[in-house]
Amino acid sequence: MTSGKRYVLAAGGTGGHMVPAAALAAELTRRGHAVALVSDERGVRFPGLFDGIETRVVPASRFSGGPIGWLRAANAMRKGRTQARRLYREFQPSAVVAFGGYASLPALMAAFSMKVPAIVHEQNAVLGRVNRLVAGKVAGIATSYDRVERLKPKYADRVHLVGNPVREAVADLRLKPYPPLEAEGIFRVLVTGGSQGASILSDVVPDGLALLPVHFRRRLQVTHQARVEDIDEVRRKYAQHEIPAEIATYLPDLPERLAWSHIVIARAGASTIAELTTAGRPAILVPLPSATDDHQTANAREISEAGGARTIAQRSFNAQELAKQIQKLGLEPEALAHAAACARSVGRPDAVRDLADLVESIDADWASAGLGVAEPVRAAPGGAAFARTSA
């Protein structure tokens, strides 16, 4: 290992981008490197993720809203690139690691213009728009899934499967067994729609759980994350069905809740899938239909094909279907434990280690102008080869 290098991480302002970036920042810092973060105004609002890390907020904007919106976005990107270049002159990074989202684009543009090697990490099973845009110019493409849609075969020499880094508290769940489930014991259900909750889960889950066989329903203990505007109605429904439930808009102790859950009902965001497969927890997944390129459906494919989850399209998600799929997934302790093992089988608990190894493997003298890729010069950790870009 080479110590004492400097790395810049660039991430858009959503939890799906910021959480893996924070995990990598912690790992690189632990290895003795200096780390700086480039993000937008949303990214710096996540409490505690980047404590002690130098952070620069740069202008960035989504390209939308017609010609006027595109012009504003282009101006914001140019300003963001200028500010990122200023940071690079001061910080002298060995490499830039971008986690997607439009807020990462100015940092990448600055890296290309200054010939700083860049790596992109893709959390989803569909290559994101920014990562698609820059795929031909980066030194490496780190992926979270074996199959990634919208990733061109010609970039294969730069692709390395590492997984999606999770918080240390979630990674530690790998060391804990699936919670024992006795025939008449409490059955714990965790319902989460991500950082913003999901109204469809609030609408359907209480009624779906109420349709389970009476002897099973009486064993339920539910923790349900809901939107602020949905809480009163969700609480009323659980009370009506006489199902014990704790309802909250935010779960600061989510890893602890995940640890004792027997089944999780959730969206299929990249971080959610990474946490489920790292911890080994069976799930009912309802992909967000409006997700860009329907990437949540793609995210759910691997764990579902392995037998660790059931995926229900939102258009088919109703109380009857939920109750049916829970029973198919397995109401018997042995069946659920098997589903948990299936979820665990596709987990990549060493993702942050492998991603940090990959970052360290990119030498500071590699050019990242993106003017063509020559033959691979060495293999990255795990066997994927990375190519030196030619100036």
Side-chain angles (χ1 to χ4, degrees):
M1 183 189 76
T2 302
S3 299
K5 291 190 176 183
R6 296 169 177 264
Y7 297 107
V8 169
L9 309 187
T14 67
H17 299 308
M18 302 302 290
V19 169
L24 178 62
E27 177 66 13
L28 291 174
T29 301
R30 187 187 66 79
R31 297 185 182 198
H33 302 302
V35 177
L37 171 71
V38 173
S39 187
D40 58 8
E41 293 181 353
R42 299 173 303 157
V44 297
R45 294 174 183 170
F46 287 84
L49 280 185
F50 290 91
D51 289 346
I53 301 295
E54 181 177 355
T55 301
R56 296 290 177 91
V57 176
V58 300
S61 179
R62 190 184 303 273
F63 285 87
S64 61
I68 294 178
W70 300 337
L71 180 61
R72 289 174 178 169
N75 288 334
M77 292 296 178
R78 281 194 290 269
K79 292 178 181 178
R81 186 186 71 163
T82 298
Q83 293 186 21
R85 284 171 58 90
R86 187 177 302 123
L87 169 64
Y88 297 172
R89 284 193 292 268
E90 298 171 1
F91 196 69
Q92 294 293 304
S94 297
V96 173
V97 188
F99 288 82
Y102 61 85
S104 68
L105 186 55
L108 288 166
M109 292 165 58
F112 300 149
S113 69
M114 297 179 71
K115 301 188 185 306
V116 178
I119 301 168
V120 293
H121 179 271
E122 180 56 60
Q123 300 87 51
N124 294 300
V126 180
L127 197 66
R129 292 178 179 177
V130 169
N131 286 348
R132 291 203 298 269
L133 180 65
V134 303
K137 297 184 177 182
V138 296
I141 302 170
T143 64
S144 301
Y145 296 88
D146 187 42
R147 288 181 288 170
V148 179
E149 299 174 13
R150 302 291 187 95
L151 178 55
K152 295 181 180 179
K154 67 181 181 180
Y155 301 138
D157 284 344
R158 275 173 278 179
V159 174
H160 182 65
L161 175 62
V162 299
N164 191 13
V166 297
R167 293 168 289 177
E168 185 176 359
V170 174
D172 289 344
L173 298 182
R174 191 76 174 184
L175 306 176
K176 299 180 180 180
Y178 181 70
L181 180 61
E182 299 179 359
E184 298 301 324
I186 295 175
F187 187 92
R188 295 183 175 89
V189 179
L190 175 63
V191 184
T192 173
S195 60
Q196 299 300 317
S199 291
I200 186 67
L201 300 184
S202 296
D203 292 340
V204 172
V205 172
D207 294 337
L209 295 179
L211 294 179
L212 293 171
V214 175
H215 72 279
F216 184 76
R217 188 169 71 242
R218 289 174 178 169
R219 298 166 51 202
L220 293 175
Q221 175 64 58
V222 179
T223 297
H224 190 129
Q225 180 203 12
R227 293 175 180 266
V228 172
E229 59 268 29
D230 297 331
I231 276 189
D232 289 341
E233 179 62 14
V234 173
R235 186 175 289 116
R236 185 194 67 78
K237 283 187 174 183
Y238 280 120
Q240 177 186 349
H241 299 313
E242 299 182 337
I243 297 175
E246 179 182 353
I247 301 100
T249 57
Y250 177 65
L251 299 173
D253 57 346
L254 184 61
E256 181 180 344
R257 307 281 184 164
L258 186 62
W260 53 245
S261 295
H262 294 109
I263 192 169
V264 178
I265 303 173
R267 288 298 198 187
S271 292
T272 297
I273 301 297
E275 291 174 351
L276 290 171
T277 56
T278 296
R281 293 296 180 271
I284 302 292
L285 300 173
V286 186
L288 176 68
S290 61
T292 304
D293 298 318
D294 196 24
H295 67 253
Q296 288 204 4
T297 297
N299 291 349
R301 183 184 302 124
E302 186 177 56
I303 185 175
S304 296
E305 289 180 351
R310 293 274 174 167
T311 299
I312 307 174
Q314 182 163 310
R315 64 180 177 277
S316 302
F317 187 59
N318 54 49
Q320 292 76 17
E321 184 65 18
L322 175 60
K324 181 174 73 174
Q325 293 300 335
I326 289 177
Q327 293 179 82
K328 281 187 176 181
L329 190 59
L331 295 184
E332 297 298 324
E334 296 80 5
L336 274 167
H338 175 71
C342 291
R344 180 187 174 93
S345 72
V346 293
R348 297 180 177 90
D350 298 323
V352 69
R353 182 202 67 188
D354 292 345
L355 181 56
D357 287 347
L358 178 61
V359 171
E360 288 182 333
S361 75
I362 304 297
D363 291 335
D365 62 349
W366 281 21
S368 61
L371 300 179
V373 178
E375 61 185 58
V377 296
R378 60 176 169 176
F386 284 77
R388 188 184 303 272
T389 52
S390 58

